[in-house]
Amino acid sequence: MIVTSKSGLANVIGIAALALFLVGSFVGLFVVPADGMQGDIQRLMYVHVPAAWLAFLSFFVVFLMSVLYLIQRDLRWDRVAQSSAEIGVVFTVLTLALGSMWGKPTWGVWWTWDPRLTTTAIMLAIYVGYLAIRSFADDPDKRARWAAIVGIIGFANVPIVYLSVIWWRTLHQPPSSPRSVSPEILWTLMFNLAAFSVIYVYLMMRRIRLAKLEGELEQRMAYHG
Amino acid sequence: MSGSKKIWAGLGILAILGSLAFLIAGGLKENVVYFLTPSELLARGPEVVDQPLRLGGQVKPGSLQWDAEAMDLRFIVQDSLQEVQVRSTGAPPAMFQEGAGVIMEGHYRDDGTFESTNVMVKHSNEYEAPHDGQKSPEEMYESLVKPGDE
Amino acid sequence: MDNLGFIVAGYSLTWATLLWYSWRTNRRLGVAAHALSEWTESSDGLTDGYEADAPPA
């Protein structure tokens, strides 16, 4: 395996991510007191909410990189967008699964078609579609162009997911704010959000590198074959 | 196209898509109704009888009757103006209690009761460790219905 | 802890998913890097069998 200087930095960040999330999980599970109303099941908040925020962040990066690609036509931006979309899909699946596990004992149902859950499912479908569409184009520039268009239009749904609980009646509660969450719970949430962000940075570094190598391979095969 | 033209074209596309999204969302905003309140249900009256729908409101304190043997649950769901008698079979979720915000799936019958097949309990966006003077379920209910809905 | 099953399942799923995705990406990275290095060797004129060195689809 080719070892590059970049993988040295990535490894350091990866180890930091691991350590942060170990501490975050430990504090969330065993140190901070659980919510008085819900009991211990509220501890799922420390993984569900960061997963959701990182999914939003991932798709915002897809949006930005798609715009940049269309302006500059540099495949570097396309590789960042592609990587962020894939990681965003992983976070979205986690968000939905964890929300389901939190919903069953509190709401009483695994799933309901309320506006928050429905728009989140649509968000997942859009970015699975984004990844799928990429496999239909053989030409890297054409593929990047199609993907960028989906990455920009598809992002319109992301703010709707966030605002759904403010605009409409839902089973899902509206977003928490520092005023509605006691300090120890808030800090535990922020710590885990930081841990998830470092995990995102690590995964992005590896995934972008992979996209770069795959791009080079594809280029050589096209040239020689 | 030159670089600056591309940027302007990009900004133009963004503006169009942004306003499109705004319009779609604005349209949805008017039309998306996940559940009816008791007032809305009674106002619509006969047209919704026997139609599958969701009803959401607060479990009226003092109205709860639970027959564990027959798995028969009866309570009144209310908003600030109206109330509807609900009957349901099966155990309610653990967080179900008087004063809580609930959303039910079922049918409104012509005898004026709501026959629920599924009771869901809403919880608030407030989180804090147990302490004296715990927040009442009534306060939680405030997050169920948006301001201006009633 | 009440609802222990849900809590354990949730945290386990989170850890398993993130570790799996990280492992999968690193493995793909290794495969791609290997294929690329083989490629470079074969392009240097040592062999002409680069098609056999293409990464698995």
Side-chain angles (χ1 to χ4, degrees), chain A residues 81-82 85-87 89 126-136:
Chain A
Q82 173 196 11
E86 194 178 285
I87 296 167
V89 164
I126 287 172
Y127 288 96
V128 168
Y130 171 95
L131 293 174
I133 228 170
R134 300 187 64 92
S135 56
F136 288 114

Side-chain angles (χ1 to χ4, degrees), chain A residues 18-222:
Chain A
L18 200 67
L20 279 171
F21 190 35
L22 264 176
V23 174
S25 296
F26 182 79
V27 172
L29 282 171
F30 304 113
V31 180
V32 72
D35 173 55
M37 192 70 87
Q38 291 190 31
D40 287 312
I41 193 66
Q42 173 265 325
R43 297 181 190 279
L44 282 181
M45 180 194 210
Y46 306 125
V47 279
H48 170 75
V49 174
W53 284 2
L54 263 294
F56 290 154
L57 176 74
S58 301
F59 298 142
F60 181 61
V61 169
V62 175
F63 170 76
L64 274 185
M65 292 301 137
S66 300
V67 172
L68 260 182
Y69 173 78
L70 287 185
I71 294 171
Q72 298 193 344
R73 301 289 161 136
D74 185 337
L75 284 173
R76 221 179 347 159
W77 308 130
D78 178 58
R79 291 196 290 267
V80 181
Q82 173 196 11
S83 302
S84 200
E86 194 178 285
I87 296 167
V89 164
V90 172
F91 281 126
T92 307
V93 170
L94 262 185
T95 305
L96 288 171
L98 292 168
S100 203
M101 291 176 187
W102 191 359
K104 182 60 186 169
T106 52
W107 297 339
V109 289
W110 297 99
W111 182 264
T112 181
W113 292 102
D114 94 334
R116 169 53 76 85
L117 277 63
T118 306
T119 50
T120 308
I122 292 171
M123 180 170 84
L124 176 62
I126 287 172
Y127 288 96
V128 168
Y130 171 95
L131 293 174
I133 228 170
R134 300 187 64 92
S135 56
F136 288 114
D138 288 330
D139 174 49
D141 297 297
K142 191 192 257 182
R143 178 198 306 145
R145 206 158 56 237
W146 288 2
I149 292 166
V150 177
I152 292 170
I153 297 176
F155 186 72
N157 180 51
V158 174
I160 297 177
V161 174
Y162 180 78
L163 292 166
S164 59
V165 286
I166 295 166
W167 285 348
W168 301 306
R169 293 175 191 169
T170 53
L171 179 59
H172 194 287
Q173 68 285 4
S176 298
S177 69
R179 278 190 306 123
S180 71
V181 180
S182 69
E184 69 272 24
I185 292 178
L186 183 68
W187 284 113
T188 309
L189 180 60
M190 289 301 150
F191 188 91
N192 276 285
L193 180 64
F196 269 68
S197 304
V198 179
I199 292 170
Y200 172 74
V201 171
Y202 170 72
L203 293 177
M204 279 295 277
M205 288 179 81
R206 304 313 284 166
R207 189 61 187 80
I208 292 167
R209 176 107 191 106
L210 171 63
K212 189 165 192 297
L213 294 190
E214 283 182 338
E216 277 172 28
L217 272 173
E218 188 182 38
Q219 202 176 15
R220 290 190 191 192
M221 305 241 297

